[in-house]
Amino acid sequence: MKTIYLECNMGASGDMLMSAFLELHENPDKFIEKLNSLGIPKIRFKKEVEKKCGIMGTHINVMVDGIEETERIHKHNIHSEHHHSDLKHIEHIIEHLNLSKKVKNDVISVYKIIAEAESSVHGCSIENIHFHEVGTMDAIADIVGVCSLINELNVEKIIASSVNTGRGQVKCAHGVLPVPAPATAYILKGIPIYSNNIKSELCTPTGAALLKYFVSEFDEMPIMRVLKIGYGFGTKDFEEVNCVRAFLGETGNADEKITELICNLDDMTGEGIGFAINRLFNAGALEVFTSSIMMKKNRPAVMLTCVCREAQREEMLRLIFKHTSTIGIRENVLNRYVLDKTEKIVSTEYGDVRVKESKGYGVVKTKAEYDDLEKIALENNITISDIQIKNVLL
C-alpha cells in the first residue's frame, strides 16, 4: 500500500506540508510551473532549496502581489492589516481555478473544516465567518498546493505522528491568543497533540485542517519500505530543525489486528474436528488449521488454530467451545500484513483463466486460479503442466 508518514515534531503549517510533499514529487520544478498556471489571483509560487541545522530541504515561498511571506508577516505586525474573505467568496475563487473536480472538492472541504472551527470559536454561523489569516490568498495557495500534490502523488494512506502545537501566545487579528490558537485547538480535537519547550505557534489552523482532512490515523511510524523522504521547512528558525518530514513508501495492509485462538484436542475424532473447522470457516474465519502435538502421558493430539478479525473474536470463541471438546482457549493478538490483491483474466488457446496478482514491498506475484486450470485440463485431457508450459503468464 502506497503510504506517506508525516513527522510533526515541529507542528505543521500549510507551506511546510506543501514543501515536504513537493520533495516527494517526481518533477518538483514542473509542478511549481503547474501551480503558477492555475490562475490563483495575485499568487506566485517559488521553490527555494535551503539548509537548516545542516539538513537540506525545501521551502515554497508564496508571493502575493510580488511580496514574500516574511515581508508580509512583518508588514502585518506593524500595520495590523487584515484581509477579510467569507467562505462563499473563497469557494468562488476555487471554482474558477484550473483544477480537477476532485481537487476542488478537497480544497473546499479543508476550508469548511476551518470555517466550522472559526464558527464555533466566534459564536456565529459559518456563512457569517470572515477569515483573517486563513482567508488570505497565500492560505488558499497553501491548501491548493497540498491538495494538488496529494492528488498527483496518488497515495492510498497518510499517517502522522502526534502534533507539536508549541506553547505561549500568538498575535493575530483578534488580539493576543494562547497557543494553540482557539481555532487550531478546535480543529485538533481528537488528534494526539503535545507541546515542549518551544515558545511559538508551531501548528497553524491551515496545517491542522489539512492534517484533519487527509490523515487517516495518528500513530508511530509503521513498518514501511521507504522510497523517498521530503523535508518541508518553515520560515522560523529554532535550535531544532523547523520542518515537517514526510516518508513515502510501501506498507502492508496492516490496517487491522487479527486474533489467533488456539486449543488442544486429545479426545475428538477426525470427523468431529473437520466439522468444527467447517463451522469456523463458514462463520468467516481467515484461517483454520491443525497441528500434530504430544500431550500429557505421551498422548497424540491435535492443536486447533483459528485466525480471525478482532470483531469476530467472540463468535469464534463461542463456536470453538460449542463444536469441540476443549474447556480452554489461548489467545494471541497479532498484526496482519498482506500484499494488495487484484484479479485479471488471461486468454489461452483452451479458454479464459483467472489470474491473481499480489503486489507490495517491492514484490509482484502471480498465480492462476487452480479451479480454472483443473477444468481446462479435464475438458482437454491434458495436464495442468501442459497448460502452464504453453502459457508463460500461468
Side-chain angles (χ1 to χ4, degrees):
M1 179 183 293
K2 194 175 181 183
T3 303
I4 288 177
Y5 181 74
L6 298 173
E7 272 186 3
C8 301
N9 303 336
M10 295 298 289
S13 62
D15 60 330
M16 291 167 73
L17 289 167
M18 178 167 53
S19 301
F21 288 136
L22 183 69
E23 288 215 330
L24 305 179
H25 197 277
E26 289 294 332
N27 195 330
D29 292 327
K30 186 175 180 180
F31 181 80
I32 291 295
E33 290 178 11
K34 181 177 179 180
L35 284 181
N36 284 322
S37 69
L38 291 178
I40 305 177
K42 305 180 181 180
I43 290 294
R44 182 143 191 95
F45 297 85
K46 181 181 177 183
K47 186 190 79 161
E48 298 174 343
V49 177
E50 301 177 354
K51 180 184 284 189
K52 289 182 183 284
C53 299
I55 298 172
M56 299 302 296
T58 295
H59 173 70
I60 298 179
N61 197 340
V62 177
M63 293 178 285
V64 182
D65 281 331
I67 303 174
E68 296 188 358
E69 182 177 0
T70 52
E71 189 178 345
R72 291 198 307 276
I73 292 172
H74 179 68
K75 185 178 179 181
H76 166 82
N77 290 336
I78 294 176
H79 301 289
S80 298
E81 293 184 358
H82 308 306
H83 301 275
H84 299 264
S85 301
D86 58 24
L87 186 60
K88 187 175 181 180
H89 177 236
I90 291 168
E91 289 178 345
H92 176 79
I93 293 172
I94 294 165
E95 285 296 340
H96 287 80
L97 297 181
N98 185 24
L99 295 168
S100 68
K101 185 176 180 180
K102 179 183 182 304
V103 174
K104 286 180 181 178
N105 289 338
D106 287 341
V107 175
I108 291 172
S109 296
V110 172
Y111 252 106
K112 285 182 177 178
I113 292 174
I114 300 171
E116 180 186 339
E118 295 282 352
S119 170
S120 175
V121 168
H122 299 303
C124 58
S125 66
I126 290 178
E127 292 74 18
N128 291 327
I129 283 295
H130 290 277
F131 296 96
H132 298 285
E133 286 84 358
V134 293
T136 54
M137 295 309 303
D138 53 338
I140 293 177
D142 288 344
I143 296 173
V144 168
V146 171
C147 293
S148 300
L149 276 163
I150 290 175
N151 183 63
E152 292 207 5
L153 290 171
N154 195 30
V155 293
E156 299 169 79
K157 191 172 188 179
I158 299 179
I159 306 171
S161 68
S162 300
V163 182
N164 187 356
T165 63
R167 66 184 182 90
Q169 296 176 318
V170 60
K171 185 178 180 181
C172 65
H174 298 286
V176 179
L177 299 175
V179 172
T184 304
Y186 182 93
I187 295 169
L188 291 173
K189 286 195 301 183
I191 294 173
I193 61 174
Y194 68 98
S195 64
N196 57 9
N197 61 327
I198 299 176
K199 201 170 182 180
S200 182
E201 182 186 32
L202 299 182
C203 186
T204 66
T206 303
L210 287 164
L211 293 176
K212 185 90 168 185
Y213 183 71
F214 284 109
V215 176
S216 57
E217 63 181 273
F218 292 83
D219 206 341
E220 295 181 358
M221 185 175 184
I223 297 173
M224 65 188 301
R225 179 175 174 265
V226 177
L227 304 175
K228 282 189 173 184
I229 303 173
Y231 291 84
F233 288 153
T235 56
K236 300 176 184 177
D237 289 321
F238 305 101
E239 288 186 8
E240 302 174 45
V241 58
N242 185 24
C243 74
V244 168
R245 183 160 65 162
F247 295 86
L248 173 65
E250 291 183 350
T251 61
N253 288 339
D255 53 357
E256 63 175 351
K257 291 185 180 294
I258 57 170
T259 300
E260 186 180 61
L261 303 173
I262 303 168
C263 64
N264 296 343
L265 307 169
D266 65 353
D267 55 356
M268 285 187 68
T269 64
E271 291 90 343
I273 293 173
F275 182 83
I277 289 173
N278 287 337
R279 300 286 71 73
L280 292 168
F281 272 128
N282 289 342
L286 297 171
E287 296 178 36
V288 187
F289 57 91
T290 60
S291 307
S292 296
I293 59 173
M294 296 294 291
M295 294 182 63
K296 295 176 182 178
K297 301 178 182 178
N298 295 324
R299 293 197 304 267
V302 168
M303 180 169 68
L304 176 71
T305 301
C306 173
V307 180
C308 64
R309 294 182 175 87
E310 283 190 306
Q312 301 170 307
R313 174 178 170 275
E314 292 299 321
E315 176 64 8
M316 296 300 160
L317 286 170
R318 186 185 70 79
L319 291 173
I320 293 172
F321 279 125
K322 179 178 180 179
H323 294 294
T324 73
S325 58
T326 191
I327 58 173
I329 299 172
R330 302 182 297 280
E331 177 186 52
N332 294 315
V333 178
L334 308 168
N335 287 322
R336 183 183 186 220
Y337 300 92
V338 298
L339 300 179
D340 295 320
K341 299 175 184 177
T342 57
E343 185 175 275
K344 61 182 179 181
I345 303 296
V346 174
S347 297
T348 74
E349 61 183 286
Y350 303 108
D352 291 341
V353 176
R354 289 171 292 167
V355 176
K356 295 177 181 177
E357 185 175 80
S358 302
K359 293 182 179 180
Y361 296 93
V363 174
V364 178
K365 299 180 179 182
T366 58
K367 185 177 181 181
E369 181 64 52
Y370 176 80
D371 290 345
D372 293 354
L373 297 179
E374 181 185 45
K375 180 182 178 183
I376 289 174
L378 292 174
E379 290 176 350
N380 294 275
N381 194 28
I382 56 177
T383 67
I384 289 177
S385 296
D386 292 333
I387 306 169
Q388 292 172 323
I389 289 171
K390 290 186 177 182
N391 298 273
V392 178
L393 291 176
L394 307 182

